[in-house]
Amino acid sequence: MPMMWLFLTTACLIPGTLSAGGFLDFENKVNPEVWMNASEIIMYNGYPSEEYDVTTADGYILAINRIPHGRAQTGQTASMKWPNMTSQG
């Protein structure tokens, strides 16, 4: 009988501990960019973003992101800027 009381007490306390507000509040402490894709991160940092879908010769579909100009040059395209390609892997 004493083991049953221990089990019931533990079973009642565990759900209250897991749902306690602020006790396991990891989501508010994480950088918001963690949940964003590449286009959202670019726009979050104040840059314009263009996204293109490109199909390779072997059938892979790639999402290509382009930043057409800086933060201050709204509406202008870069005339003499060097392209920069960043890839993963």
Side-chain angles (χ1 to χ4, degrees):
M1 189 67 157
M3 291 300 285
M4 180 60 91
W5 283 107
L6 179 62
F7 172 74
L8 289 174
T9 305
T10 306
C12 290
L13 290 177
I14 288 176
T17 304
L18 294 178
S19 65
F23 184 69
L24 295 175
D25 192 18
F26 297 120
E27 195 166 311
N28 291 334
K29 296 176 183 153
V30 175
N31 185 350
E33 292 182 3
V34 170
W35 311 111
M36 297 180 188
N37 64 20
S39 294
E40 292 170 339
I41 292 173
I42 293 168
M43 290 187 292
Y44 178 76
N45 286 298
Y47 294 95
S49 176
E50 298 175 0
E51 186 169 335
Y52 300 97
D53 291 329
V54 178
T55 305
T56 62
D58 53 353
Y60 285 98
I61 300 173
L62 306 175
I64 306 295
N65 293 293
R66 178 177 183 258
I67 301 173
H69 53 80
R71 294 180 190 173
Q73 299 94 5
T74 53
Q76 299 176 359
T77 57
S79 57
M80 294 299 292
K81 302 275 183 168
W82 290 95
N84 182 359
M85 181 177 164
T86 306
S87 68
Q88 176 183 345

